[in-house]
Amino acid sequence: MREMRDYLATRRTTAATFLDSPSPEQATLDEMLRIAARVPDHGKLAPWRFIVFEGAAREAAGEVVASVAERKDPQRDLMEERARFTRAPLVVAVVSTAGPHVKIPEWEQILSAGAVCLNLVHAAYAFGYSAQWLTEWIAYDRDVLAGLGVEPGEKVAGFIHIGTPQMTPTERDRPDMAAITTRFAPKPA
Ligand SMILES: Cc1cc2nc3c(=O)[nH]c(=O)nc-3n(C[C@H](O)[C@H](O)[C@H](O)COP(=O)(O)O)c2cc1C
């Protein structure tokens, strides 16, 4: 229990450029995705899905990004765009498939996709890896998304970059808890 508390109290993102091989093997990745999908999910809708980018498929995904970037802005650094999926050895897109439902608000379905992202980050750490949750412009460009296999009604909640950390990140500022925490008190009548 203490281990989990320490982990949660000290967890830091490792930037994708500092994530290297080795990355999880197939069976480990399957287990990580199973853990990621074990989130609170009102109505058991499972309103999310995964797209895995590994090996040479990461370069192909980078080509999709670069060709869209070049078409939209010829000044863009195409090397950078091509490398979007090759910084870390493994990238998993968490895709929100949320939509209107008779009982479950769409907002709750979207929140659940965020929970999947964080659970996947935690799962990566649990297996000895590190991760970074990124969106960048590519999560919001419908042409890039179409090229990556994301359907028009879907959204990318996060691209989770996973690998073995090559550095130990230093602490960063955290919120002033007193500034963001209040205690409810009923208004005097
Ligand atoms: C939905 C979402 C999208 C994010 N997208 C980016 C991004 O595009 N670029 C970036 O530098 N950080 C992004 N971040 C922030 C990093 O994942 C990370 O939280 C941040 O670097 C702070 O590190 P920490 O997790 O150690 O607090 C995003 C976070 C969330 C929740």
Side-chain angles (χ1 to χ4, degrees), residues 11-14 125 132-137 140 157-158 169 171-172 174:
R11 181 206 59 79
R12 271 245 51 202
T13 289
T14 304
Y125 281 83
Q132 186 176 29
W133 177 351
L134 294 179
T135 44
E136 306 181 309
W137 71 274
Y140 301 100
E171 185 52 305
R172 74 169 173 91
R174 297 292 163 180

Side-chain angles (χ1 to χ4, degrees), residues 176-189:
D176 171 2
M177 297 310 296
I180 60 165
T181 311
T182 52
R183 283 184 170 67
F184 174 74
K187 288 197 181 106

